[in-house]
């Protein structure tokens, strides 16, 4: 079981990376919430429904610097939620660098998913309170996708360190991290089996970021 201290330490590590490197849209209007989103407890992993509710609530509360949208659907029709954090949400300003952060490509590598959820919260709550975070958001367009493989996540079971539940792959049993085009290997994966990969490729082609990071629980991959 990952402790609160460990999760907090990993969050701060991710935030440090961000500070150093210093499509179907869903519009969420501000208001309509009974109360602000409660402070994070760092005590459990969010499932798909909880993740969706949390992201919608956060963007509603911080609509002046955040936008929620989906780049597509998983095989089981779950949204591939992405949050844009920017002083100009909903737009791409010329000359403003864009960065993307993607987690949970392997559905049972859940730490990366939680880290990016915490990073979204840290950025939104730090704006106008932390000078470094405020400067970062004012000078950068940040895109954060906590989960590229929500179907695999839902198959996963906490404590299943060997992956017996099959959560590593998507709902069609495909390893998303081995399904992207490769200049050195001949990848033969039917695109209809990996709609998550297709959505990511289309998003990359239409939204040219400066760089991006794909976080897993074992290593961090850099891609552009």
């Amino acid at each position: 079981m990952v402790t609160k201290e460990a999760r907090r330490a990993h969050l701060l590590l991710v935030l440090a990376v961000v500070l150093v490197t210093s499509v179907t849209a869903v519009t969420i209007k501000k208001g309509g919430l009974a109360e602000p989103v409660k402070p994070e407890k760092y005590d459990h992993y969010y499932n798909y429904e909880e993740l969706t509710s949390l992201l919608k609530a956060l963007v509603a509360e911080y609509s002046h610097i955040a936008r929620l949208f989906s780049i597509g659907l998983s095989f089981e029709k779950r949204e591939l939620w992405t949050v844009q954090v920017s002083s100009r949400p909903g737009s791409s300003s010329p000359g403003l660098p864009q960065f993307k952060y993607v987690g949970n490509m392997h559905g049972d590598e859940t730490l990366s998913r939680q880290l990016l959820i915490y990073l979204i919260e840290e950025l939104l709550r730090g704006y106008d309170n932390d000078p470094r975070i405020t400067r970062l958001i004012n000078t950068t367009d940040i895109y954060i996708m906590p989960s590229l493989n929500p179907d695999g996540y839902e198959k996963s079971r906490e404590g299943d360190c060997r992956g017996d539940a099959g959560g590593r792959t998507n709902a069609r049993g495909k390893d998303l991290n081995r399904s992207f085009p490769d200049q050195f290997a001949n990848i033969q994966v039917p695109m209809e089996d990996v709609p998550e990969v297709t959505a990511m490729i289309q998003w990359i082609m239409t939204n040219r970021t400066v760089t991006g990071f794909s976080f897993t629980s074992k290593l961090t991959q850099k891609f552009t």
Side-chain angles (χ1 to χ4, degrees):
M1 182 69 180
V2 180
T3 65
K4 293 182 182 179
E5 291 76 14
R7 287 177 179 149
R8 181 69 177 178
H10 281 292
L11 168 63
L12 293 176
L13 177 60
V14 174
L15 181 59
V17 171
V18 177
L19 293 172
V20 169
T21 58
S22 80
V23 147
T24 302
V26 178
T27 302
I28 309 295
K29 295 184 178 180
K30 191 173 183 179
L33 290 179
E35 58 183 15
V37 180
K38 294 180 180 179
E40 183 61 61
K41 294 183 178 180
Y42 307 104
D43 62 352
H44 77 289
Y45 293 101
Y46 292 99
N47 62 29
Y48 175 75
E49 289 75 18
E50 291 173 323
L51 173 64
T52 299
S53 296
L54 175 65
L55 295 182
K56 287 183 177 181
L58 284 169
V59 170
E61 185 174 345
Y62 297 95
S63 59
H64 60 298
I65 56 168
R67 176 176 67 107
L68 177 65
F69 65 99
S70 171
I71 70 163
L73 297 174
S74 68
F75 188 85
E76 293 182 337
K77 307 304 180 184
R78 293 183 175 94
E79 301 285 356
L80 302 177
W81 292 123
T82 304
V83 175
Q84 179 191 15
V85 181
S86 172
S87 59
R88 307 168 186 83
S91 64
S92 298
S93 301
L96 206 62
Q98 298 182 16
F99 291 80
K100 64 175 173 288
Y101 300 89
V102 179
N104 203 210
M105 189 177 299
H106 291 146
D108 59 0
E109 294 181 7
T110 54
L111 183 58
S112 63
R113 175 187 175 108
Q114 288 298 121
L115 285 175
L116 292 182
I117 293 171
Y118 298 157
L119 178 59
I120 293 170
E121 294 176 325
E122 191 85 359
L123 291 174
L124 296 182
R125 289 171 174 150
Y127 189 73
D128 281 342
N129 294 310
D130 184 309
R132 295 180 303 168
I133 291 177
T134 302
R135 182 172 63 252
L136 176 68
I137 293 175
N138 285 339
T139 58
T140 314
D141 272 341
I142 304 168
Y143 296 87
I144 303 174
M145 179 191 293
S147 181
L148 180 62
N149 188 2
D151 297 349
Y153 178 87
E154 294 301 314
K155 290 192 296 180
S156 303
R157 296 293 177 265
E158 190 168 352
D160 176 25
C161 297
R162 297 188 306 176
D164 293 335
R168 176 184 176 91
T169 60
N170 74 349
R172 293 289 289 175
K174 302 298 183 182
D175 187 332
L176 300 184
N177 197 36
R178 306 293 187 270
S179 300
F180 285 86
D182 192 313
Q183 62 178 322
F184 301 112
N186 184 21
I187 304 296
Q188 297 290 339
V189 178
M191 286 295 99
E192 60 269 21
D193 287 346
V194 286
E196 304 89 349
V197 171
T198 301
M200 176 58 70
I201 291 174
Q202 292 174 345
W203 186 42
I204 290 173
M205 297 300 294
T206 58
N207 191 71
R208 303 308 292 253
T209 55
V210 173
T211 191
F213 291 87
S214 174
F215 293 93
T216 72
S217 297
K218 297 178 182 178
L219 51 84
T220 300
Q221 299 170 319
K222 180 179 178 182
F223 60 89
T224 55

